[in-house]
Amino acid sequence: MARTNPTLRQRRLGAELRRMREQAGFGGSELGRAVGMNPAQVTQMESGKIGISVERLRTIAATCMCVNEPLIDALAEIITERGKSGWWEEYRDVLATDFLEVAELEGSARTLTGYTTSFIPGLLQTGSYSSALFAQTYPPLPHHEIDLRTAFRMQRQRVVRSGAKPYTVFVHEAALHMQFGGPKVLTEQLAALVIDSELPNVSLRVVPFSAGVVPSPSENFTLAAGPIPELDTAQMDTGHGNQYFDAPAHLARFRALVSQMNGTALSEDDARELIRSVKEQMEHKNG
């Protein structure tokens, strides 16, 4: 039976199968004849709308002469996990799919690397700061929707606060000065950010004004590491919702951006000192 709303990982499985077919030079009909599927089934499989067995996956891989065993095994794991639901599924009928897919991406990632330009990263936000950020949405959201989104974001933070998942995040210095919710909310957020930066699995770096705009003022992104590099995914916030990138060329670009920021961002200790300094300036100015 076809899925009406395939999950992010189901769509990624289909995308990898399509890439495998295309690299082998097969059309959909040609592959279908070789593995016992009709063209419509191949199309639905590659869009994540129908599932396949591990056995069929391995048949397709052999037909396409794919010898990347780590990739095949990782795709088999996605198939094996079919039917398992994450905590975010509790919100499926009350929040837009964009929210759920971000949580799914974070939950399945081996490591997370993020970059934000104008706000503190969602995984490190306080509840008050998060609510203030959602209150900036236009058209304005009703209070109950702000509360719901804030609660969801706080639950998402368990992926970092559990300590099990390494999280590297680059925050542009501009974000430290944006007063969502006013000075008091920002001061509390900066204090919490210093504490979070000392978590053993968190590496917080600040990209200073002196580094210029890196990589561009409109790009807030997360690079989620998969079980193998080929299954990494980049997610970018846009004014029209989330965008996901998994093509090798796109992933190479995001990795290059992370490498660039590694060379320009302040060290963890210097970042903490800068955050403390901005916090103290805020307290002095508004004390």
Side-chain angles (χ1 to χ4, degrees), residues 122-149:
L123 293 177
L124 300 178
Q125 291 176 7
T126 64
S128 296
Y129 184 96
S130 183
S131 293
L133 200 58
F134 285 127
Q136 299 293 315
T137 302
Y138 188 84
L141 296 169
H143 290 300
H144 75 273
E145 181 70 14
I146 293 174
D147 291 343
L148 180 64
R149 294 187 182 194

Side-chain angles (χ1 to χ4, degrees), residues 29-281:
S29 299
E30 190 177 3
L31 176 66
R33 285 194 299 271
V35 300
M37 300 175 71
N38 62 50
Q41 288 175 316
V42 172
T43 298
Q44 290 180 315
M45 173 189 72
E46 293 180 351
S47 62
K49 292 182 178 180
I50 62 171
I52 61 170
S53 66
V54 172
E55 291 73 18
R56 174 153 281 175
L57 163 68
R58 296 193 183 280
T59 298
I60 291 171
T63 301
C64 294
M65 294 173 287
C66 176
V67 294
N68 188 340
E69 288 299 328
L71 173 62
I72 297 168
D73 290 343
L75 296 178
E77 184 65 23
I78 295 177
I79 293 172
T80 302
E81 292 176 353
R82 187 176 62 227
K84 296 180 181 178
S85 59
W87 63 266
W88 49 87
E89 291 297 333
E90 301 170 11
Y91 290 82
R92 184 159 294 279
D93 295 328
V94 292
L95 280 177
T97 302
D98 270 359
F99 291 92
L100 278 61
E101 289 187 341
V102 168
E104 181 186 355
L105 180 68
E106 294 167 346
S108 62
R110 183 172 49 85
T111 66
L112 294 165
T113 302
Y115 172 62
T116 60
T117 57
S118 57
F119 52 81
I120 304 304
L123 293 177
L124 300 178
Q125 291 176 7
T126 64
S128 296
Y129 184 96
S130 183
S131 293
L133 200 58
F134 285 127
Q136 299 293 315
T137 302
Y138 188 84
L141 296 169
H143 290 300
H144 75 273
E145 181 70 14
I146 293 174
D147 291 343
L148 180 64
R149 294 187 182 194
T150 300
F152 186 81
R153 179 160 291 177
M154 295 302 101
Q155 199 163 351
R156 269 179 52 207
Q157 293 181 357
R158 294 186 305 185
V159 76
V160 169
R161 300 194 184 283
S162 67
K165 190 160 299 190
Y167 180 43
T168 299
V169 61
F170 298 89
V171 182
H172 198 280
E173 186 176 349
L176 305 181
H177 297 270
M178 297 293 287
Q179 296 186 31
F180 298 107
K184 184 174 184 295
V185 171
L186 178 58
T187 300
E188 292 174 349
Q189 174 64 78
L190 294 176
L193 197 60
V194 171
I195 295 172
D196 287 339
S197 73
E198 296 174 337
L199 292 172
N201 61 310
V202 172
S203 175
L204 173 62
R205 310 275 302 279
V206 173
V207 179
F209 287 125
S210 59
V213 181
V214 183
S216 89
S218 63
E219 293 186 358
N220 303 297
F221 68 82
T222 296
L223 182 60
I228 57 173
E230 292 94 323
L231 292 182
D232 289 356
T233 303
Q235 176 264 325
M236 184 184 292
D237 297 329
T238 75
H240 302 287
N242 297 329
Q243 288 187 342
Y244 296 92
F245 302 88
D246 54 42
H250 289 143
L251 292 174
R253 175 176 178 269
F254 283 101
R255 292 176 186 133
L257 293 175
V258 171
S259 178
Q260 182 181 359
M261 286 187 288
N262 261 322
T264 58
L266 300 178
S267 68
E268 294 179 20
D269 288 340
D270 288 346
R272 268 190 291 272
E273 285 306 309
L274 177 59
I275 295 168
R276 289 191 183 102
S277 175
V278 175
K279 171 181 171 292
E280 289 168 1
Q281 291 173 23

